[in-house]
C-alpha cells in the first residue's frame, strides 16, 4: 500500500515537472513567433514611413526592444523551470554528503 503511494507521488511529481518544461517550450515558441512578427512590422514601418534603408531600419533599437525585455522574462521562466535545480539539486546534496562521509571515515 505504502509502495503504491510512493510510486504515485513520484509519478505526480514527474508529471508536474514535464508540464512545467512543456509550458516553457510553448512560451519559447510564442516568444520567437511574436517577436519575428513585431520586428518585421517595425522594420517595414521604418522603411515605409521614415524612408530609412533596410540597414538603418534594422539597426533601430525598437526592433530589438521587445526581444530584449521579453527575453528577460524568458530567462526567469527558464531559471524557474531548469535553473534552480541545475547545480544544487537534492540529488547533488545527497551525493556530496555520501562523498564526504566516505572520505572522512575515522582514521
Amino acid at each position: 500500500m505504502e509502495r503504491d503511494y510512493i510510486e504515485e507521488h513520484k509519478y505526480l511529481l514527474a508529471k508536474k515537472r514535464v508540464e512545467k518544461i512543456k509550458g516553457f517550450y510553448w512560451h519559447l515558441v510564442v516568444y520567437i513567433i511574436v517577436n519575428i512578427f513585431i520586428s518585421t512590422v517595425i522594420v517595414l514601418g521604418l522603411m515605409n514611413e521614415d524612408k530609412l534603408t533596410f540597414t538603418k531600419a534594422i539597426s533601430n533599437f525598437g526592433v530589438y526592444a521587445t526581444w530584449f525585455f521579453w527575453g528577460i522574462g524568458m530567462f526567469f521562466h527558464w531559471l524557474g523551470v531548469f535553473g534552480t535545480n541545475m547545480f544544487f539539486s537534492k540529488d547533488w546534496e545527497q551525493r556530496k554528503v555520501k562523498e564526504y562521509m566516505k572520505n572522512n571515515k575515522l582514521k
Side-chain angles (χ1 to χ4, degrees):
M1 176 84 164
E2 187 176 329
R3 182 80 175 144
D4 292 338
Y5 172 75
I6 292 171
E7 290 300 315
E8 185 176 345
H9 182 67
K10 285 181 180 179
Y11 171 77
L12 291 174
L13 288 175
K15 185 175 179 182
K16 188 175 183 181
R17 176 99 171 114
V18 168
E19 287 174 1
K20 283 183 174 183
I21 293 170
K22 183 179 169 184
F24 171 77
Y25 284 127
W26 273 112
H27 188 187
L28 182 63
V29 167
V30 170
Y31 168 79
I32 292 169
I33 292 171
V34 169
N35 279 304
I36 287 173
F37 176 76
I38 290 172
S39 295
T40 303
V41 169
I42 291 172
V43 168
L44 292 176
L46 289 171
M47 289 173 61
N48 289 334
E49 292 180 13
D50 294 346
K51 304 296 183 209
L52 295 177
T53 63
F54 178 74
T55 53
K56 286 188 178 185
I58 200 89
S59 64
N60 187 307
F61 178 71
V63 176
Y64 305 105
T66 308
W67 288 92
F68 178 74
F69 293 112
W70 191 353
I72 293 170
M74 283 296 302
F75 171 74
F76 283 110
H77 190 177
W78 172 83
L79 196 62
V81 173
F82 298 107
T84 56
N85 294 329
M86 187 174 261
F87 300 109
F88 301 116
S89 66
K90 290 288 182 189
D91 184 44
W92 176 85
E93 290 178 21
Q94 290 174 352
R95 284 193 323 263
K96 282 299 188 185
V97 167
K98 287 178 184 178
E99 177 185 328
Y100 285 125
M101 287 174 62
K102 180 181 172 187
N103 293 335
N104 292 327
K105 289 183 181 177
L106 292 175
K107 295 179 183 180

